[in-house]
Amino acid sequence: MRELLIPFATGLTIFLFGLQLIRSGLETMAGRHLQSVLLRFTKTPLRSFMTGIVATGFLQSSSAVTVLTIGFVNAGLMDFSQTVGLILGTNIGTTVTTEILALKIEDFAVPMIVSGAVIWLLPWKRFAWIGVVIGGFGCIFLGMNVMQWLAIPLKEQGWMSWLLSRGDAVQTGLTAGILMTAVIQSSSATIAMAMGFFASGLISLPFAVAVVLGSNVGTCVTGLLAVIGANRAAKQVAVAHLLLNVGGMLLFAPFVSSFADWVAALSAHPATQVAHAQTLFNIICSLIMLPFTSAYARFITRLVPSRELRT
């Protein structure tokens, strides 16, 4: 058990620490501009959509943008109707991290960490946070490498084979993606593990794609936790996010095998195939829903009314 827990805990900690470094560095460099952009450029569904893509790609976290949006809605600074396009955009923006991971530049992990630390220690404090971001990227590559060590004991002890023999690979992958992301609060970390396991031959591509679909639902847990004690408008944001991602998962679930064959034809590199699966899935789902953002917002408003109905 130790050969499983130690690399998992170590790799996950380094990976999440790297994401936090990137987020902190970019947020500090952006100052208050990010908040003003979210409030200013969300007046129409298309502008909200584009803003969600940019903001999430910048922060490297759809959960961070979703929680920030919930805070704005709860404070009355943003209407719920403005957030649907933003949510669709966050689903695409979050693929930036995965596509970067697929570039296979993990050999530069340690040099990036060292160079980031050197930049941070230089007397030119204007560039210090650039060093934090560079070091953060080094940490996520290093963490991903460490988590890949899990593949060896899992394969030798036959645990993954036993798990896959218990039921349908797609259903198991969906469940694993939802639960893992809900627990560790990072879809990027979950997908990074799926990329590593698939590259090691431990899981099949359909299983990895199913994990990607499930991780999109698991990431909604952060938003659901953020609306505890919030007003009804904030809860509408969390419910809208959840139903959009559950709907996308259910839409693609019956076609996982065919979808996996499609993304396999796009690249010969295993990690890139998984990254492309997430990107295409989120782009397709978001573009399908984009023309119906207003109607969807009205549906959520009826589902979660702004005021409690009197009995």
Side-chain angles (χ1 to χ4, degrees):
M1 184 63 69
R2 290 175 58 187
E3 61 268 26
L4 293 175
L5 291 179
I6 291 176
F8 174 73
T10 304
L12 181 61
T13 301
I14 296 172
F15 188 95
L16 296 178
F17 178 67
L19 286 179
Q20 185 59 44
L21 286 179
I22 295 170
R23 195 176 307 144
S24 298
L26 292 174
E27 283 180 341
T28 302
M29 287 190 291
R32 296 186 176 180
H33 296 297
L34 182 61
Q35 295 186 16
S36 63
V37 165
L38 286 177
L39 293 173
R40 182 178 178 184
F41 295 101
T42 53
K43 302 301 181 184
T44 67
L46 183 58
R47 290 172 68 179
S48 293
F49 177 65
M50 298 305 299
T51 301
I53 295 175
V54 174
T56 306
F58 191 78
L59 287 184
Q60 298 290 297
S61 172
S62 61
S63 296
V65 177
T66 302
V67 171
L68 192 60
T69 303
I70 288 172
F72 288 154
V73 173
N74 191 56
L77 299 175
M78 184 184 293
D79 294 331
F80 164 68
S81 59
Q82 297 174 248
T83 67
V84 177
L86 197 65
I87 292 170
L88 295 175
T90 62
N91 284 345
I92 295 179
T94 195
T95 64
V96 173
T97 305
T98 312
E99 291 290 351
I100 292 174
L101 289 174
L103 295 176
K104 296 296 291 181
I105 56 176
E106 63 268 17
D107 292 340
F108 299 98
V110 174
M112 290 175 75
I113 294 173
V114 173
S115 61
V118 170
I119 295 174
W120 169 258
L121 294 173
L122 290 175
W124 304 296
K125 294 303 179 184
R126 180 180 301 178
F127 303 102
W129 290 102
I130 296 178
V132 172
V133 174
I134 294 174
F137 274 110
C139 284
I140 66 173
F141 290 124
L142 179 61
M144 183 177 176
N145 263 351
V146 174
M147 286 189 290
Q148 286 183 14
W149 298 347
L150 282 170
I152 298 175
L154 284 173
K155 185 180 293 185
E156 290 178 346
Q157 298 180 16
W159 286 20
M160 189 60 71
S161 300
W162 175 85
L163 178 63
L164 294 176
S165 67
R166 298 294 98 181
D168 180 72
V170 173
Q171 294 178 0
T172 306
L174 292 173
T175 304
I178 293 172
L179 295 179
M180 181 63 73
T181 307
V183 170
I184 65 179
Q185 299 287 290
S186 173
S187 60
S188 296
T190 300
I191 296 172
M193 281 188 278
M195 291 165 67
F197 288 170
F198 175 52
S200 302
L202 189 62
I203 60 176
S204 64
L205 182 56
F207 185 92
V209 171
V211 170
V212 169
L213 303 189
S215 70
N216 256 36
V217 175
T219 196
C220 298
V221 172
T222 306
L224 294 173
L225 293 175
V227 298
I228 295 176
N231 61 26
R232 302 292 285 183
K235 292 176 180 177
Q236 289 171 349
V237 178
V239 171
H241 188 204
L242 176 64
L243 293 185
L244 279 172
N245 288 5
V246 169
M249 182 187 72
L250 295 178
L251 177 66
F252 270 72
F255 311 104
V256 165
S257 297
S258 300
F259 185 53
D261 292 338
W262 181 31
V263 296
L266 299 178
S267 173
H269 195 281
T272 304
Q273 292 173 4
V274 179
H276 288 351
Q278 186 202 22
T279 300
L280 289 171
F281 166 66
N282 285 330
I283 288 176
I284 293 171
C285 289
S286 294
L287 291 181
I288 288 174
M289 280 300 301
L290 186 59
F292 308 103
T293 52
S294 297
Y296 182 67
R298 290 193 296 270
F299 166 72
I300 296 297
T301 302
R302 289 194 296 269
L303 185 65
V304 187
S306 298
R307 295 181 180 179
E308 298 286 355
L309 295 176
R310 296 181 179 179
T311 56

PDB file of all heavy atoms in Angstrom, residues 191-205:
ATOM      1  N   ILE A 191      -7.059  14.447 -14.808  1.00  0.00           N
ATOM      2  CA  ILE A 191      -6.763  14.173 -16.212  1.00  0.00           C
ATOM      3  C   ILE A 191      -5.273  13.891 -16.401  1.00  0.00           C
ATOM      4  O   ILE A 191      -4.886  13.058 -17.228  1.00  0.00           O
ATOM      5  CB  ILE A 191      -7.234  15.338 -17.093  1.00  0.00           C
ATOM      6  CG1 ILE A 191      -8.767  15.465 -17.012  1.00  0.00           C
ATOM      7  CG2 ILE A 191      -6.809  15.140 -18.541  1.00  0.00           C
ATOM      8  CD1 ILE A 191      -9.324  16.693 -17.682  1.00  0.00           C
ATOM      9  N   ALA A 192      -4.433  14.570 -15.630  1.00  0.00           N
ATOM     10  CA  ALA A 192      -2.994  14.314 -15.709  1.00  0.00           C
ATOM     11  C   ALA A 192      -2.689  12.865 -15.347  1.00  0.00           C
ATOM     12  O   ALA A 192      -1.854  12.211 -15.986  1.00  0.00           O
ATOM     13  CB  ALA A 192      -2.233  15.255 -14.779  1.00  0.00           C
ATOM     14  N   MET A 193      -3.360  12.343 -14.325  1.00  0.00           N
ATOM     15  CA  MET A 193      -3.166  10.941 -13.957  1.00  0.00           C
ATOM     16  C   MET A 193      -3.668  10.011 -15.055  1.00  0.00           C
ATOM     17  O   MET A 193      -3.029   8.996 -15.376  1.00  0.00           O
ATOM     18  CB  MET A 193      -3.873  10.634 -12.633  1.00  0.00           C
ATOM     19  CG  MET A 193      -3.101  11.091 -11.411  1.00  0.00           C
ATOM     20  SD  MET A 193      -3.828  10.537  -9.861  1.00  0.00           S
ATOM     21  CE  MET A 193      -5.103  11.776  -9.646  1.00  0.00           C
ATOM     22  N   ALA A 194      -4.815  10.350 -15.655  1.00  0.00           N
ATOM     23  CA  ALA A 194      -5.341   9.531 -16.749  1.00  0.00           C
ATOM     24  C   ALA A 194      -4.379   9.528 -17.933  1.00  0.00           C
ATOM     25  O   ALA A 194      -4.162   8.478 -18.566  1.00  0.00           O
ATOM     26  CB  ALA A 194      -6.714  10.057 -17.174  1.00  0.00           C
ATOM     27  N   MET A 195      -3.787  10.676 -18.215  1.00  0.00           N
ATOM     28  CA  MET A 195      -2.805  10.763 -19.298  1.00  0.00           C
ATOM     29  C   MET A 195      -1.604   9.860 -19.016  1.00  0.00           C
ATOM     30  O   MET A 195      -1.131   9.131 -19.900  1.00  0.00           O
ATOM     31  CB  MET A 195      -2.351  12.221 -19.468  1.00  0.00           C
ATOM     32  CG  MET A 195      -3.424  13.144 -20.012  1.00  0.00           C
ATOM     33  SD  MET A 195      -3.030  14.901 -19.806  1.00  0.00           S
ATOM     34  CE  MET A 195      -1.632  15.073 -20.903  1.00  0.00           C
ATOM     35  N   GLY A 196      -1.114   9.903 -17.771  1.00  0.00           N
ATOM     36  CA  GLY A 196       0.033   9.085 -17.407  1.00  0.00           C
ATOM     37  C   GLY A 196      -0.274   7.604 -17.435  1.00  0.00           C
ATOM     38  O   GLY A 196       0.527   6.792 -17.929  1.00  0.00           O
ATOM     39  N   PHE A 197      -1.441   7.221 -16.929  1.00  0.00           N
ATOM     40  CA  PHE A 197      -1.828   5.807 -16.909  1.00  0.00           C
ATOM     41  C   PHE A 197      -2.025   5.269 -18.321  1.00  0.00           C
ATOM     42  O   PHE A 197      -1.647   4.138 -18.621  1.00  0.00           O
ATOM     43  CB  PHE A 197      -3.102   5.618 -16.097  1.00  0.00           C
ATOM     44  CG  PHE A 197      -2.922   5.780 -14.613  1.00  0.00           C
ATOM     45  CD1 PHE A 197      -4.017   5.832 -13.764  1.00  0.00           C
ATOM     46  CD2 PHE A 197      -1.657   5.895 -14.056  1.00  0.00           C
ATOM     47  CE1 PHE A 197      -3.857   5.984 -12.400  1.00  0.00           C
ATOM     48  CE2 PHE A 197      -1.486   6.053 -12.695  1.00  0.00           C
ATOM     49  CZ  PHE A 197      -2.580   6.096 -11.860  1.00  0.00           C
ATOM     50  N   PHE A 198      -2.633   6.070 -19.194  1.00  0.00           N
ATOM     51  CA  PHE A 198      -2.838   5.621 -20.570  1.00  0.00           C
ATOM     52  C   PHE A 198      -1.504   5.499 -21.297  1.00  0.00           C
ATOM     53  O   PHE A 198      -1.266   4.532 -22.042  1.00  0.00           O
ATOM     54  CB  PHE A 198      -3.761   6.584 -21.306  1.00  0.00           C
ATOM     55  CG  PHE A 198      -3.941   6.271 -22.769  1.00  0.00           C
ATOM     56  CD1 PHE A 198      -4.315   5.003 -23.183  1.00  0.00           C
ATOM     57  CD2 PHE A 198      -3.720   7.244 -23.731  1.00  0.00           C
ATOM     58  CE1 PHE A 198      -4.468   4.703 -24.536  1.00  0.00           C
ATOM     59  CE2 PHE A 198      -3.872   6.956 -25.080  1.00  0.00           C
ATOM     60  CZ  PHE A 198      -4.244   5.684 -25.482  1.00  0.00           C
ATOM     61  N   ALA A 199      -0.599   6.464 -21.067  1.00  0.00           N
ATOM     62  CA  ALA A 199       0.723   6.411 -21.703  1.00  0.00           C
ATOM     63  C   ALA A 199       1.513   5.199 -21.233  1.00  0.00           C
ATOM     64  O   ALA A 199       2.335   4.659 -21.980  1.00  0.00           O
ATOM     65  CB  ALA A 199       1.497   7.697 -21.409  1.00  0.00           C
ATOM     66  N   SER A 200       1.242   4.738 -19.997  1.00  0.00           N
ATOM     67  CA  SER A 200       1.933   3.568 -19.445  1.00  0.00           C
ATOM     68  C   SER A 200       1.272   2.260 -19.836  1.00  0.00           C
ATOM     69  O   SER A 200       1.762   1.184 -19.477  1.00  0.00           O
ATOM     70  CB  SER A 200       1.988   3.661 -17.916  1.00  0.00           C
ATOM     71  OG  SER A 200       2.629   4.845 -17.500  1.00  0.00           O
ATOM     72  N   GLY A 201       0.163   2.323 -20.558  1.00  0.00           N
ATOM     73  CA  GLY A 201      -0.536   1.121 -20.977  1.00  0.00           C
ATOM     74  C   GLY A 201      -1.398   0.498 -19.901  1.00  0.00           C
ATOM     75  O   GLY A 201      -1.870  -0.630 -20.053  1.00  0.00           O
ATOM     76  N   LEU A 202      -1.631   1.241 -18.805  1.00  0.00           N
ATOM     77  CA  LEU A 202      -2.405   0.694 -17.693  1.00  0.00           C
ATOM     78  C   LEU A 202      -3.899   0.724 -17.972  1.00  0.00           C
ATOM     79  O   LEU A 202      -4.642  -0.155 -17.524  1.00  0.00           O
ATOM     80  CB  LEU A 202      -2.087   1.486 -16.417  1.00  0.00           C
ATOM     81  CG  LEU A 202      -2.640   0.949 -15.101  1.00  0.00           C
ATOM     82  CD1 LEU A 202      -2.066  -0.431 -14.801  1.00  0.00           C
ATOM     83  CD2 LEU A 202      -2.321   1.910 -13.962  1.00  0.00           C
ATOM     84  N   ILE A 203      -4.359   1.728 -18.697  1.00  0.00           N
ATOM     85  CA  ILE A 203      -5.774   1.851 -19.034  1.00  0.00           C
ATOM     86  C   ILE A 203      -5.911   2.065 -20.535  1.00  0.00           C
ATOM     87  O   ILE A 203      -4.952   2.432 -21.213  1.00  0.00           O
ATOM     88  CB  ILE A 203      -6.458   3.025 -18.277  1.00  0.00           C
ATOM     89  CG1 ILE A 203      -5.783   4.352 -18.627  1.00  0.00           C
ATOM     90  CG2 ILE A 203      -6.442   2.769 -16.773  1.00  0.00           C
ATOM     91  CD1 ILE A 203      -6.461   5.570 -17.995  1.00  0.00           C
ATOM     92  N   SER A 204      -7.110   1.841 -21.033  1.00  0.00           N
ATOM     93  CA  SER A 204      -7.385   2.045 -22.459  1.00  0.00           C
ATOM     94  C   SER A 204      -7.774   3.495 -22.716  1.00  0.00           C
ATOM     95  O   SER A 204      -8.096   4.246 -21.784  1.00  0.00           O
ATOM     96  CB  SER A 204      -8.512   1.114 -22.904  1.00  0.00           C
ATOM     97  OG  SER A 204      -9.722   1.454 -22.227  1.00  0.00           O
ATOM     98  N   LEU A 205      -7.770   3.891 -23.976  1.00  0.00           N
ATOM     99  CA  LEU A 205      -8.161   5.255 -24.324  1.00  0.00           C
ATOM    100  C   LEU A 205      -9.630   5.524 -24.001  1.00  0.00           C
ATOM    101  O   LEU A 205      -9.947   6.594 -23.463  1.00  0.00           O
ATOM    102  CB  LEU A 205      -7.869   5.537 -25.799  1.00  0.00           C
ATOM    103  CG  LEU A 205      -8.187   6.960 -26.275  1.00  0.00           C
ATOM    104  CD1 LEU A 205      -7.456   7.999 -25.438  1.00  0.00           C
ATOM    105  CD2 LEU A 205      -7.829   7.123 -27.755  1.00  0.00           C
TER     106      LEU A 205
END
